């Protein structure tokens, strides 16, 4: 299951990253908002690379932007493989994506806590990350569905809901195929 989750998650995360970026570019044309180079700055600090104020390190920006998108997609794919699928799962995953960004940006001193941001900037960021979260989720769920129901879904099929009298799946039945 984990091997499938890795490749499916990389695909799902990359797809989510592409759609999010496309949406960002459209939004920037409409609003006039400039490109953000925060991803590059975070990567420079995490990797100990030299920083060059005034220069826009576009290759590093894309590497961090799409690298994060693809790698976090693996988590969403693990969710889907486990049977945690659908819109609610994608909403939960969107929060993970936002949290990941904030941890890295604040840990490196590149960003500031969202509570200090102008509300419009915060709204734009949440919107774009939601696009990423739901597209990544849709792709991960679709790919995982090809592998059949996840262990959580098979357990729920015994009797929907949480019930003390419904035993867990047998260990051998957890992995599925």
């Amino acid at each position: 299951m984990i091997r499938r989750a890795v490749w499916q998650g990389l695909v799902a995360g990359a797809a989510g990253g592409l759609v999010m970026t496309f949406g960002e570019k459209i939004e920037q044309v409409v609003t006039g908002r400039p490109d953000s180079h925060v991803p590059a700055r975070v990567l420079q600090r995490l990797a100990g690379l030299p920083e060059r104020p005034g220069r826009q390190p576009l290759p590093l920006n894309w590497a961090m932007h799409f690298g994060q998108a693809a790698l976090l997609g693996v988590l969403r794919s693990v969710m889907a493989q486990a049977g945690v699928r659908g819109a609610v799962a994608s909403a939960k995953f969107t929060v993970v994506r936002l949290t990941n960004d904030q941890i890295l940006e604040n840990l490196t001193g590149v960003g500031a806590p969202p509570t200090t941001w102008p509300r419009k900037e915060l709204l734009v960021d949440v919107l774009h990350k939601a696009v990423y979260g739901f597209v990544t989720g849709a792709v991960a769920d679709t790919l995982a569905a090809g592998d059949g129901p996840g262990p959580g879904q098979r357990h729920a099929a015994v009797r929907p809901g949480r019930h003390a009298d419904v035993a867990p799946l047998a260990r051998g039945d957890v992995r599925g195929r």
Side-chain angles (χ1 to χ4, degrees):
M1 180 185 345
I2 295 300
R3 210 170 316 167
R4 286 191 305 265
V6 169
W7 78 260
Q8 291 176 4
L10 292 172
V11 169
L18 283 170
V19 173
M20 177 179 69
T21 302
F22 183 69
E24 286 171 336
K25 295 305 173 190
I26 291 170
E27 174 264 319
Q28 287 174 308
V29 168
V30 172
T31 65
R33 185 176 64 86
D35 285 340
S36 168
H37 295 280
V38 168
R41 303 289 186 234
V42 169
L43 182 56
Q44 288 171 322
R45 295 222 173 150
L46 288 173
L49 299 172
E51 296 178 53
R52 295 182 179 88
R55 292 188 60 200
Q56 305 304 332
L58 193 58
L60 290 178
N61 218 48
W62 290 115
M64 185 65 171
H65 183 74
F66 286 107
Q68 265 187 290
L71 289 174
L72 282 173
V74 174
L75 175 61
R76 182 60 180 84
S77 182
V78 168
M79 292 169 68
Q81 285 291 334
V84 181
R85 301 177 186 166
V88 172
S90 292
K92 290 176 183 181
F93 177 67
T94 297
V95 173
V96 170
R97 171 65 174 158
L98 287 159
T99 303
N100 177 75
D101 281 2
Q102 289 309 306
I103 289 170
L104 293 176
E105 291 170 15
N106 284 271
L107 182 70
T108 59
V110 172
T115 54
T116 66
W117 296 12
R119 293 295 156 238
K120 185 177 177 185
E121 275 186 48
L122 186 58
L123 180 63
V124 166
D125 192 52
V126 170
L127 174 68
H128 290 309
K129 296 308 185 310
V131 167
Y132 165 80
F134 280 82
V135 170
T136 300
V139 174
D141 290 350
T142 300
L143 292 172
D147 298 325
Q153 291 165 312
R154 292 195 309 274
H155 184 266
V158 173
R159 186 166 156 213
R162 298 180 92 179
H163 303 282
D165 61 331
V166 176
L169 295 178
R171 286 183 188 220
D173 293 338
V174 172
R175 288 201 176 106
R177 312 153 261 308

